[in-house]
Amino acid sequence: MLRLLSALVKIGLASLITGAVLSALNLSAAELLAEIGFTPDRVFAALQEGAAWAIPNIVLGSMVIVPIWFVTYLLRPPKN
């Protein structure tokens, strides 16, 4: 758990520093997206489409995985 938290903090700090540098260079997220041919609305729509695809598949998979995990958890030998 500590490694995950450490990685998230590092990513956050790197993002903050990069954002500050880009802001100092008078660049915005909308300008960078326009350079690669995207608009903020198009990115948001793609995220919504991705979530609409992923969420039902996650739920379906968890209907198989969670009971298997639970049975495995119950059948584990006790720890001393």
Side-chain angles (χ1 to χ4, degrees):
M1 184 68 170
L2 184 60
R3 294 175 80 184
L4 176 64
L5 185 59
S6 174
L8 290 175
V9 168
K10 288 177 185 177
I11 290 170
L13 282 173
S15 298
L16 178 65
I17 292 168
T18 304
V21 169
L22 291 174
S23 178
L25 296 172
N26 291 326
L27 293 173
S28 69
E31 290 173 355
L32 291 176
L33 287 173
E35 285 289 324
I36 60 172
F38 285 111
T39 63
D41 293 334
R42 189 168 168 198
V43 171
F44 187 66
L47 289 173
Q48 285 181 324
E49 290 174 12
W53 172 84
I55 291 172
N57 287 314
I58 290 171
V59 171
L60 181 61
S62 68
M63 292 175 71
V64 174
I65 297 301
V66 170
I68 292 172
W69 170 82
F70 185 68
V71 169
T72 304
Y73 179 79
L74 288 176
L75 296 177
R76 279 191 330 199
K79 295 182 180 179
N80 291 337

